[in-house]
Amino acid sequence: MMQNVHLAPETDEDDLYSGYNDYNPTYDTEELENDTAFQQAVRTSHGRRPPITAKIPSTAVTRPVATGYGSKTSLASSMGRPMTGAIQDGITRPMTAVRAAGFTKAALRGSAFDPLGQSRGPAPPLEAKNEDSPEEKNRQLEKKVNELVEESCIANSCGDLKLALEKAKDAGRKERVLVRQREQVTTPENINLDLTYSVLFNLASQYSANEMYAEALNTYQVIVKNKMFSNAGRLKVNMGNIYLKQRNYSKAIKFYRMALDQIPSVHKEMRIKIMQNIGVTFIKTGQYSDAINSFEHIMSMAPNLKAGFNLILSYFAVGDRDKMKKAFQKLIAVPLEIDEDDKYISPSDDPHTNLVIEAIKNDHLRQMERERKAMAEKYIMTAAKLIAPVIETSFAVGYDWCVEVVKASQYVELANDLEINKAITYLRQKDFNQENEFAQASSYADLAVNSDRYNPSALTNKGNTVFANGDYEKAAEFYKEALRNDSSCTEALYNIGLTYKRLNRLDEALDCFLKLHAILRNSAQILYQIANVYELMEDPNQAIEWLMQLISVVPTDSRALSKLGELYDSEGDKSQAFQYYYESYRYFPSNIEVIEWLGAYYIDTQFCEKAIQYFERASLIQPTQVKWQLMVASCFRRSGNYQKALDTYKDIHRKFPENVECLRFLVRLCTDIGLKEVQEYATKLKRLEKMKEIREQRIKSGRDSSGGSRSRREGSDGSDSGQNCSASSKGERLSAKLRALPGTNEPYESSSNKEIDASYVDPLGPQIERPKTAAKKRIDEDDFADEELGDDLLPE
């Protein structure tokens, strides 16, 4: 038994390639000439006998193989290997039925060796498919449904919502036909549920995109109620979104919460988004405490910019100052998760590295980083502007706190923007004293000019400081020098136009503004300045033409429209004046001058009923001015509604019991109607008139005893008269018309002008002109529509 055991050689390393060169000497054909047994077989009849064929084992056992020598023993082969099927040691060995691969009987009879069967020729063609079979029809229909769903999605992404819905409906119809056909052929378990789910989900999405919310909700209900669809519960988020669009906030919250219950806790991101939707819905319903709970949970689990900003809004709504500060600090601390800009700077002169950096400088990832950073800055700036006036005792202190917090964060560059925004806020509030540090501005302007004498921005800013001090000639020299260094400096050209207008050099100012108009064709401010210069030059036709161009650029600017109405009124075109005054009122119904003109227009055209609504609005805007309420009562009286006029006068008397004009109208109306209250109002009127006489006598005696007081009063009266003189002649005519509208024989008209004066004030009167800084490289036209038309320029 041990003789078959071979021990491994004791060597340090095994030979991995041992045995590959060994071969059986049986296959050594080169030594056949020296092989005695082989040569003997060739010379004898053993080499010439026919080949032995394989026999069935049962027959091979009974037939011994004969040899040429007549013995019953088989001859040994040349290598000593017995022949298969020969008799050995007197025992008959059966023939085997196993043969070598590729060998057949024909091969033994001289045919070529063909193990792959190539001699049989090409294989017969495949059997053609039967296209009429039900399974093949179902397969083709399923393919068509998938194509329709894909086409529907592509149409939606291209913006063709109607085509997307048609494709989705067609896919739904064909999918139902497919389900019925498969139920007839196979068992229901073989139906493709994934295809059904995708068809229904796409159909619901297309319904929602086309604002067919009822159909979308029904389709979502079909998916949600089907127990065979796994994870269909999260579609309740989409249903909640639809209810939110329909402003059905209670159902939206209900479905959001149902979706939140069915989504496992491992899907944290999805749960956070649903909670954010719940918080936004609570804000829309005014339930700020519930919204705060949702956003606080989000900021504690996975803080993000939108949740932080909404949390600040919620705290602002409830007025919690301390929580607003904490929420602002949380918003600042939200990580942006973007790389720094240093990686986009080449560290060496390696051309390969520079090519890579150039390739990634503006790729999609870089654009996404920019958008995320811009969104963060927008939220922080908006939140700072919102909470700054309320978190501290004053706006300035609150803004300073926000600036300090921003400086200590990753958004350090926003601190300067907040400072500029603070200054702009003061300017919009017309609080110029807060930023009126001319001495410091002048020193910085001098430093800028000394560092670079040829810098147009520095020269323009220096000219602004000189302009603010009232030295217009010197300011013009600085602006001219800036233009000599850079002829494209539009700020300097605009400011020099303002300077010439201040110096009453209107022709030169007009040249400057016309040059600017050639450069900035659609600048609203430049168009207004040209129209204003033509108006100062007493050329109303040209002023109207340029104002028409102005309203084509900013058609909703109420000041430009009212100015057009004023110019047409001065030209005597009442219909055109009414059109533009009415358009101005429609866009800005709180301009008291426009309201006054429209009311006077309707009284002049004998439509007192229409004038009432304008004077009522004026009384709402200026509730302490009795003249508007008196005008309302007068309109009622002139239209014949005496009872309404009497009620209005009584209401005025309760609010202003010392108003003489109201008592005169009450006495007159009660006398005409025959009321018993006339004696009461007449007694009050006499008492007030007597008190008025005593007051006037005291004033007269005081003037006689004090010359200084008299001179001061005269100076004051002079200033008032000067201010009235600054108004346009059109305004004076309108005031006179308002006073003379009712009949002259009535007590209302015989009253003093000081009591019922409704003088018209020019909306575009003299204003302080502030030069434009060179830091602003263009004139903002979008902001212009929201600002008052004037000579002011945007600050730095």
Side-chain angles (χ1 to χ4, degrees):
M1 181 174 183
M2 293 298 293
Q3 63 185 354
N4 295 327
V5 177
H6 303 279
L7 298 177
E10 296 181 357
T11 59
D12 296 337
E13 297 180 358
D14 295 338
D15 189 2
L16 298 177
Y17 304 97
S18 62
Y20 284 97
N21 295 328
D22 298 339
Y23 65 96
N24 196 324
T26 305
Y27 303 105
D28 190 3
T29 58
E30 297 179 357
E31 300 295 333
L32 290 179
E33 295 180 357
N34 300 326
D35 191 347
T36 307
F38 178 79
Q39 295 297 331
Q40 178 67 26
V42 171
R43 286 193 297 269
T44 60
S45 60
H46 180 75
R48 294 190 296 271
R49 67 178 180 172
I52 300 173
T53 59
K55 301 294 182 181
I56 300 173
S58 59
T59 58
V61 172
T62 57
R63 285 182 57 189
V65 180
T67 64
Y69 294 97
S71 63
K72 295 181 179 180
T73 60
S74 60
L75 293 176
S77 65
S78 60
M79 299 300 168
R81 181 170 179 254
M83 294 297 294
T84 303
I87 301 174
Q88 300 179 8
D89 298 333
I91 301 175
T92 304
R93 183 172 179 262
M95 297 290 290
T96 62
V98 179
R99 61 192 176 188
F103 285 91
T104 58
K105 293 180 182 180
L108 295 175
R109 288 193 290 271
S111 61
F113 179 69
D114 188 11
L116 300 179
Q118 297 179 0
S119 60
R120 290 177 293 184
L126 297 175
E127 184 178 356
K129 291 183 179 179
N130 187 5
E131 296 183 356
D132 296 333
S133 64
E135 186 61 32
E136 183 63 25
K137 288 182 178 179
N138 292 341
R139 191 179 297 109
Q140 293 297 327
L141 187 57
E142 181 177 343
K143 181 180 179 181
K144 181 62 177 176
V145 171
N146 282 317
E147 290 176 354
L148 287 172
V149 172
E150 184 177 356
E151 291 173 1
S152 174
C153 296
I154 294 173
N156 181 280
S157 63
C158 295
D160 194 348
L161 303 180
K162 186 176 180 181
L163 178 61
L165 180 59
E166 292 176 358
K167 295 287 186 181
K169 288 181 178 179
D170 195 10
R173 288 190 292 266
K174 286 182 167 52
E175 194 275 334
R176 287 192 291 273
V177 173
L178 175 63
V179 170
R180 289 195 294 268
Q181 291 181 0
R182 284 204 165 162
E183 286 178 348
Q184 297 175 1
V185 176
T186 61
T187 59
E189 289 79 7
N190 294 330
I191 296 175
N192 191 349
L193 292 177
D194 294 337
L195 180 63
T196 304
Y197 180 88
S198 63
V199 168
L200 291 174
F201 178 68
N202 180 63
L203 180 60
S205 301
Q206 302 308 332
Y207 275 136
S208 179
N210 284 271
E211 298 183 358
M212 301 171 66
Y213 297 131
E215 292 82 354
L217 290 172
N218 293 334
T219 309
Y220 278 127
Q221 286 286 0
V222 173
I223 302 175
V224 171
K225 290 183 177 179
N226 195 331
K227 303 296 183 182
M228 301 181 68
F229 294 138
S230 59
N231 299 326
R234 66 182 59 191
L235 293 182
K236 291 181 180 178
V237 177
N238 296 17
M239 300 175 71
N241 292 339
I242 292 177
Y243 282 121
L244 184 63
K245 292 178 182 178
Q246 294 179 330
R247 299 186 179 180
N248 192 345
Y249 301 126
S250 58
K251 279 196 173 182
I253 293 174
K254 175 184 176 182
F255 276 88
Y256 285 144
R257 285 177 170 170
M258 291 169 62
L260 193 64
D261 293 338
Q262 296 184 9
I263 292 178
S265 57
V266 294
H267 298 158
K268 293 182 180 179
E269 186 175 355
M270 177 64 72
R271 292 177 63 87
I272 289 295
K273 290 181 179 179
I274 295 175
M275 291 192 68
Q276 190 156 320
N277 287 5
I278 293 174
V280 172
T281 310
F282 277 132
I283 288 180
K284 290 183 177 293
T285 57
Q287 303 177 38
Y288 299 112
S289 58
D290 295 327
I292 287 171
N293 293 333
S294 298
F295 293 129
E296 280 185 342
H297 178 75
I298 294 173
M299 294 302 289
S300 61
M301 298 295 295
N304 61 78
L305 294 169
K306 291 183 179 179
F309 182 71
N310 289 334
L311 183 60
I312 293 175
L313 294 181
S314 303
Y315 282 134
F316 178 81
V318 299
D320 195 333
R321 295 184 177 183
D322 295 333
K323 293 293 182 65
M324 275 189 274
K325 288 184 176 181
K326 294 179 180 178
F328 186 76
Q329 290 173 339
K330 289 181 180 179
L331 176 65
I332 291 289
V334 172
L336 280 179
E337 298 179 354
I338 60 176
D339 295 332
E340 298 295 333
D341 295 338
D342 295 341
K343 75 174 185 178
Y344 300 104
I345 300 175
S346 177
S348 62
D349 295 334
D350 184 13
H352 179 72
T353 305
N354 293 338
L355 286 175
V356 173
I357 291 175
E358 287 294 329
I360 67 175
K361 264 186 178 179
N362 200 31
D363 60 355
H364 293 294
L365 179 60
R366 178 61 173 162
Q367 294 174 6
M368 185 187 71
E369 291 177 349
R370 288 199 190 101
E371 292 173 0
R372 184 174 178 81
K373 188 174 182 181
M375 183 180 66
E377 293 176 354
K378 177 184 176 182
Y379 284 148
I380 293 171
M381 293 288 290
T382 306
K385 290 187 286 186
L386 179 68
I387 68 175
V390 297
I391 58 176
E392 296 292 347
T393 56
S394 66
F395 168 78
V397 178
Y399 230 108
D400 291 339
W401 181 88
C402 294
V403 170
E404 293 300 324
V405 173
V406 171
K407 284 182 179 179
S409 68
Q410 56 182 330
Y411 304 98
V412 182
E413 63 274 8
L414 284 183
N416 295 329
D417 295 339
L418 286 173
E419 292 281 4
I420 294 174
N421 188 266
K422 176 184 174 183
I424 292 175
T425 305
Y426 282 132
L427 293 176
R428 287 178 177 173
Q429 294 174 353
K430 307 300 180 183
D431 191 358
F432 304 112
N433 294 327
Q434 294 288 342
E435 299 295 325
N436 204 10
E437 300 177 1
F438 291 123
Q440 189 174 1
S442 180
S443 63
Y444 281 116
D446 290 334
L447 289 174
V449 172
N450 293 333
S451 63
D452 187 0
R453 183 66 188 182
Y454 301 99
N455 190 318
S457 300
L459 292 168
T460 302
N461 289 335
K462 178 58 180 176
N464 293 347
T465 60
V466 177
F467 185 97
N469 291 326
D471 192 350
Y472 304 122
E473 293 288 352
K474 190 173 181 181
E477 293 300 325
F478 280 108
Y479 298 142
K480 289 178 182 178
E481 187 175 355
L483 285 173
R484 284 194 294 268
N485 294 331
D486 184 5
S487 59
S488 64
C489 185
T490 56
E491 293 84 4
L493 186 58
Y494 187 93
N495 291 350
I496 205 172
L498 289 182
T499 306
Y500 286 146
K501 196 167 73 168
R502 274 298 176 86
L503 295 171
N504 202 26
R505 296 156 62 176
L506 300 180
D507 292 332
E508 296 175 83
L510 183 61
D511 290 339
C512 293
F513 292 130
L514 289 175
K515 289 178 182 178
L516 271 173
H517 177 65
I519 300 172
L520 304 172
R521 304 292 298 181
N522 296 322
S523 174
Q525 282 181 305
I526 296 172
L527 291 172
Y528 167 73
Q529 293 295 341
I530 295 174
N532 184 246
V533 171
Y534 274 120
E535 184 184 4
L536 295 175
M537 296 171 68
E538 298 181 356
D539 190 350
N541 294 327
Q542 285 292 332
I544 290 174
E545 181 180 345
W546 285 96
L547 282 175
M548 294 292 290
Q549 295 186 40
L550 173 61
I551 63 172
S552 67
V553 176
V554 281
T556 60
D557 193 284
S558 62
R559 293 286 181 175
L561 293 168
S562 64
K563 189 63 180 176
L564 266 173
E566 177 189 341
L567 291 174
Y568 275 115
D569 186 37
S570 64
E571 292 295 304
D573 193 345
K574 296 292 183 182
S575 61
Q576 285 290 339
F578 171 76
Q579 177 184 349
Y580 288 110
Y581 271 121
Y582 182 77
E583 285 295 312
S584 176
Y585 173 79
R586 189 165 66 89
Y587 289 116
F588 184 57
S590 298
N591 191 329
I592 200 70
E593 292 84 5
V594 175
I595 294 172
E596 183 179 7
W597 192 94
L598 290 171
Y601 174 81
Y602 279 117
I603 292 176
D604 190 24
T605 55
Q606 304 300 321
F607 290 101
C608 297
E609 299 86 353
K610 292 186 178 181
I612 291 173
Q613 60 173 328
Y614 295 104
F615 291 127
E616 286 179 342
R617 178 171 289 276
S619 65
L620 291 174
I621 298 172
Q622 295 180 346
T624 60
Q625 296 288 330
V626 67
K627 63 181 179 181
W628 306 121
Q629 300 179 44
L630 289 173
M631 291 297 296
V632 172
S634 177
C635 291
F636 279 125
R637 181 168 53 84
R638 289 180 63 81
S639 61
N641 193 345
Y642 297 108
Q643 185 60 44
K644 190 69 175 176
L646 181 62
D647 295 337
T648 306
Y649 282 128
K650 287 181 178 180
D651 185 58
I652 296 171
H653 179 62
R654 283 192 299 269
K655 294 179 181 177
F656 305 95
E658 296 183 357
N659 186 272
V660 178
E661 299 302 323
C662 181
L663 283 172
R664 287 177 182 172
F665 286 122
L666 282 172
V667 171
R668 174 67 180 272
L669 281 175
C670 290
T671 302
D672 294 341
I673 298 174
L675 297 178
K676 297 179 180 180
E677 305 171 42
V678 62
Q679 189 61 37
E680 177 186 353
Y681 292 130
T683 303
K684 290 182 179 180
L685 178 60
K686 288 181 180 179
R687 186 170 62 249
L688 283 176
E689 288 178 344
K690 188 174 181 179
M691 291 175 60
K692 185 177 180 181
E693 290 177 1
I694 295 172
R695 191 181 302 114
E696 289 178 354
Q697 290 177 359
R698 288 177 181 176
I699 295 173
K700 185 178 181 181
S701 62
R703 287 178 178 175
D704 294 338
S705 62
S706 177
S709 299
R710 182 172 63 252
S711 61
R712 285 195 297 270
R713 287 192 182 92
E714 288 174 355
S716 176
D717 294 340
S719 64
D720 294 340
S721 62
Q723 184 176 1
N724 292 332
C725 290
S726 65
S728 64
S729 58
K730 177 261 173 188
E732 295 173 357
R733 292 197 303 271
L734 178 59
S735 301
K737 184 185 296 181
L738 273 177
R739 292 193 297 269
L741 281 175
T744 57
N745 59 344
E746 297 177 358
Y748 178 82
E749 287 73 23
S750 62
S751 62
S752 64
N753 293 338
K754 292 183 180 179
E755 294 288 342
I756 61 170
D757 182 27
S759 61
Y760 184 82
V761 180
D762 187 359
L764 292 174
Q767 300 179 18
I768 299 175
E769 296 177 348
R770 294 189 302 276
K772 185 174 183 64
T773 56
K776 196 73 175 177
K777 277 300 178 185
R778 65 180 180 86
I779 300 174
D780 295 332
E781 299 168 12
D782 297 334
D783 296 338
F784 175 76
D786 298 330
E787 297 294 333
E788 180 178 353
L789 282 175
D791 299 339
D792 299 343
L793 285 171
L794 295 176
E796 182 180 1

